[in-house]
Amino acid sequence: MKRKLLTIPNLLSIIRLVVLSPLFVYFAFKGEGNLAFAVGVVALLSDFLDGYIAVKFNQRSRLGSILDTAGDMFFSIALVFTVVFLGYVNEWMILYLGIQRLVRTRLYFYVLNRFNTIYKPMYMKVTGAGLMVYAVFLPTLVENFEKTTVDIITWIMFTVPWILILIGVYDTTKKTKSGFFKQHLQDD
């Protein structure tokens, strides 16, 4: 039986990729912070919903996993671009985030290409979602908290994903060596 390519999860990922990411940047550049925030919240919800619907209704697929990752990546880039433009973060944060996203994405594609299977443990998904939530709320944090508090929150939000990624590297290495992927996961 052939799987449908245009499923609701795939459509949500495509909308996040093609519509919501550029719209977020557009509203931010136009000075429409409330609309940018609303678009950001919709993008975050779409990221949650595409995965939930894919699992709940057995619509997981290799294409869907790639679209989800691309949607996450483009929205992350839109967020970073926007918070840099607005002056909320500096260059070291961008480098740090870029390396973090590359390591996370490389881990995902390593398993996908080596074992032809989809492997996205929840703690790895949290690394991306947590930073996206942080970036969406950053303007509100800056307006309502002291700089020291915002700096502490920023360090936490940039450190926790690295801890989770190191767990992911360890977990993936351990599962690769034990033959877990070959024994237990099937291509969707």
Side-chain angles (χ1 to χ4, degrees):
M1 180 162 91
K2 274 191 155 182
R3 287 193 177 260
K4 289 176 25 180
L5 293 180
L6 191 58
T7 61
I8 291 173
N10 289 358
L11 188 59
L12 288 170
S13 293
I14 291 168
I15 289 170
R16 189 168 61 257
L17 181 70
V18 177
V19 177
L20 296 175
S21 297
L23 203 55
F24 180 85
V25 173
Y26 172 78
F27 285 135
F29 272 78
K30 294 292 272 182
E32 298 288 340
N34 290 335
L35 290 174
F37 175 77
V39 170
V41 169
V42 171
L44 293 173
L45 288 173
S46 77
D47 187 29
F48 167 76
L49 284 174
D50 67 358
Y52 176 78
I53 292 169
V55 171
K56 180 82 173 168
F57 297 100
N58 195 27
Q59 295 182 347
R60 291 182 65 199
S61 68
R62 183 180 175 111
L63 174 64
S65 185
I66 291 169
L67 286 172
D68 178 50
T69 300
D72 291 350
M73 202 60 129
F74 271 73
F75 187 62
S76 294
I77 291 167
L79 285 170
V80 168
F81 183 71
T82 301
V83 297
V84 168
F85 172 77
L86 296 174
Y88 293 131
V89 297
N90 59 32
E91 296 79 21
W92 73 264
M93 292 175 166
I94 302 309
L95 179 63
Y96 190 79
L97 181 62
I99 292 169
Q100 183 257 12
R101 296 298 287 187
L102 285 172
V103 169
R104 179 178 178 257
T105 302
R106 178 63 186 119
L107 255 179
Y108 164 73
F109 280 109
Y110 168 77
V111 173
L112 182 65
N113 291 327
R114 181 152 183 211
F115 301 104
N116 198 30
T117 192
I118 299 164
Y119 179 64
K120 283 187 177 180
M122 185 55 70
Y123 56 83
M124 290 298 281
K125 289 187 77 62
V126 167
T127 64
L131 287 171
M132 285 194 267
V133 169
Y134 166 74
V136 168
F137 283 103
L138 188 57
T140 302
L141 290 172
V142 169
E143 286 180 20
N144 296 305
F145 293 95
E146 299 284 328
K147 182 179 179 343
T148 305
T149 305
V150 174
D151 288 345
I152 291 169
I153 293 169
T154 299
W155 274 105
I156 292 168
M157 292 306 298
F158 275 75
T159 303
V160 170
W162 272 107
I163 293 168
L164 294 174
I165 283 178
L166 290 174
I167 292 169
V169 169
Y170 172 78
D171 182 50
T172 302
T173 303
K174 184 177 170 185
K175 287 183 175 172
T176 299
K177 288 180 179 178
S178 73
F180 173 82
F181 296 113
K182 290 180 182 177
Q183 296 170 3
H184 299 288
L185 298 177
Q186 301 294 321
D187 187 28
D188 287 320

